[in-house]
């Protein structure tokens, strides 16, 4: 990554290029929608007959989310949160709430400024701006660390043709608690990675489904409709209740972009899962 440079901005504008206020409104609507759907699921309660056979019967891989965060490293005490999506796109949500993404092709870049404006670049051996170049260098360091030290969450998905995407999926906001890291993508997907047992839940209001990655790193996906009808395991219900409490907390934040809350851990070493 040391010799990477961002070339001039491409003339191709972002389709449906939202400004800052539109981004806030969209995030708010996604959270309201997701909380409503989860409330219906939780209302059904625990299925006391739940076992591995029912889990396989209700598992619906076709309803799995389009993208999720497969790796992440928290260096927000200095720079921001670095991550990799399951389609091999890499990104950083910097402490100044700007975002930079590098597609799996290793050439296509997207930069999102503080106002939510999207800019597209190609990697070339030419200098762009000092700010972009510095952030590109940091992205390279994050990518190297994740490649060398971190395991992948869930199965990998084939890289997407970024030229055909109206909007690149990316991290919109995040925060940590003593129990989990909460990751909110700009497409409405909410992901919670739990620290103690390394389980994960990935909630998608648009697909109306939850994917659960258990301690054996197996991913199972259940539609909200199925869970609202038949219930779910105690294990999953506990995590869905926690997710709803996190959504409520997010709805109290002053902003929906960047790091929503500052933890009190005071750690300086990078945290990674």
């Amino acid at each position: 990554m040391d010799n990477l440079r961002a070339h001039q901005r491409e003339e191709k504008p972002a389709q449906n290029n939202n400004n800052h206020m539109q981004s806030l409104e969209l995030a708010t609507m996604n959270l309201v929608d997701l909380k409503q759907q989860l409330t219906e699921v939780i209302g059904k309660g625990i299925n006391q007959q739940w076992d591995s056979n029912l889990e396989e019967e209700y598992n619906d891989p076709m309803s799995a989310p389009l993208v999720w965060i497969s790796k992440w490293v928290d260096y927000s005490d200095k720079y921001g949160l670095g991550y990799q999506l399951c389609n091999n796109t890499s990104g950083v949500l910097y402490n100044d709430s700007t975002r930079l993404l590098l597609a799996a092709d290793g050439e296509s870049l997207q930069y999102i400024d503080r106002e939510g404006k999207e800019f597209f670049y190609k990697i070339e051996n030419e200098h762009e701006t000092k700010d972009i170049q510095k952030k590109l260098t940091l992205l390279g360091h994050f990518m190297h660390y994740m490649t060398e030290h971190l395991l992948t969450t869930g199965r990998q998905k084939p890289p997407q043709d970024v030229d055909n995407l109206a909007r690149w999926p990316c991290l919109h906001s995040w925060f940590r608690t003593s129990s989990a890291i909460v990751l909110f993508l700009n497409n409405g997907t909410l992901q919670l990675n739990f620290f103690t047992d390394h389980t994960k839940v990935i909630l998608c209001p648009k697909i109306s489904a939850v994917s659960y990655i258990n301690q054996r790193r197996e991913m199972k996906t259940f539609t909200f409709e199925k869970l609202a009808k038949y219930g779910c395991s105690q294990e999953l219900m506990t995590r869905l209740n926690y997710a709803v409490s996190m959504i409520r907390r997010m709805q109290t934040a002053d902003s929906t972009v960047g790091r929503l809350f500052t933890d009190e851990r005071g750690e300086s070493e990078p945290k990674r899962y």
Side-chain angles (χ1 to χ4, degrees):
M1 289 288 290
D2 291 342
N3 64 345
L4 293 184
R5 298 292 184 271
H7 194 42
Q8 71 272 8
R9 179 186 175 184
E10 290 188 291
E11 293 302 319
K12 181 190 73 173
Q15 299 177 25
N16 301 317
N17 192 15
N18 292 340
N19 59 27
H20 186 63
M21 290 305 299
Q22 290 173 321
S23 179
L24 294 177
E25 291 171 1
L26 183 61
T28 299
M29 288 189 295
N30 283 326
L31 287 176
V32 169
D33 188 21
L34 181 57
K35 185 170 73 171
Q36 180 178 353
Q37 294 184 64
L38 285 176
T39 299
E40 294 178 4
V41 171
I42 292 171
K44 178 60 181 178
I46 299 167
N47 185 336
Q48 300 294 344
Q49 307 303 317
W50 191 275
D51 57 16
S52 58
N53 292 327
L54 278 182
E55 183 176 72
E56 287 302 322
E57 180 181 346
Y58 298 152
N59 182 31
D60 185 2
M62 296 301 294
S63 296
L66 298 177
V67 292
W68 61 86
I69 291 178
S70 59
K71 299 179 180 181
W72 62 271
V73 56
D74 177 4
Y75 223 143
S76 55
D77 61 331
K78 290 185 178 180
Y79 307 116
L81 189 87
Y83 61 94
Q84 184 182 82
L85 299 178
C86 61
N87 62 5
N88 289 322
T89 295
S90 298
V92 179
L93 176 47
Y94 298 96
N95 288 341
D96 62 2
S97 295
T98 62
R99 287 161 279 179
L100 184 64
L101 296 100
L102 178 64
D105 62 10
E107 298 179 356
S108 304
L109 284 165
Q110 183 189 39
Y111 178 70
I112 305 174
D113 68 14
R114 296 181 186 86
E115 302 303 317
K117 296 179 181 178
E118 301 169 352
F119 304 89
F120 294 93
Y121 300 87
K122 288 291 185 180
I123 296 294
E124 297 287 351
N125 291 322
E126 293 185 22
H127 185 69
E128 172 56 30
T129 68
K130 289 184 179 180
D131 185 52
I132 293 291
Q133 181 55 46
K134 178 181 178 181
K135 289 176 177 176
L136 183 58
T137 299
L138 289 173
L139 173 59
H141 294 321
F142 276 109
M143 291 174 62
H144 177 75
Y145 183 90
M146 290 187 290
T147 299
E148 294 295 321
H149 299 283
L150 303 186
L151 297 175
T152 298
T153 295
R155 59 187 181 276
Q156 291 295 96
K157 284 198 168 186
Q160 294 170 289
D161 182 358
V162 295
D163 289 332
N164 293 326
L165 289 177
R167 158 157 288 179
W168 291 19
C170 69
L171 183 62
H172 183 78
S173 60
W174 70 281
F175 65 99
R176 298 170 63 100
T177 71
S178 60
S179 301
I181 184 168
V182 181
L183 306 157
F184 188 40
L185 303 185
N186 64 342
N187 64 358
T189 297
L190 181 67
Q191 178 173 334
L192 292 86
N193 291 17
F194 294 91
F195 299 139
T196 302
D197 58 9
H198 301 290
T199 58
K200 289 94 177 168
V201 289
I202 307 166
L203 303 147
C204 184
K206 295 180 180 179
I207 300 178
S208 296
V210 54
S211 291
Y212 178 52
I213 300 176
N214 60 28
Q215 295 184 59
R216 299 182 298 278
R217 303 183 61 191
E218 301 167 336
M219 177 184 280
K220 305 293 183 180
T221 301
F222 311 102
T223 63
F224 292 151
E225 179 182 13
K226 189 78 72 174
L227 296 181
K229 184 175 182 180
Y230 298 107
C232 66
S233 67
Q234 171 72 63
E235 187 176 350
L236 181 56
M237 182 62 72
T238 298
R239 288 157 180 79
L240 295 182
N241 273 298
Y242 189 81
V244 170
S245 70
M246 292 300 99
I247 293 174
R248 293 195 183 104
R249 186 178 181 191
M250 293 170 72
Q251 291 176 321
T252 68
D254 294 332
S255 174
T256 65
V257 180
R259 187 175 185 176
L260 302 186
F261 306 99
T262 303
D263 63 33
E264 299 177 355
R265 294 162 62 93
E267 298 174 359
S268 59
E269 290 298 313
K271 282 75 74 173
R272 56 273 183 179
Y273 290 89

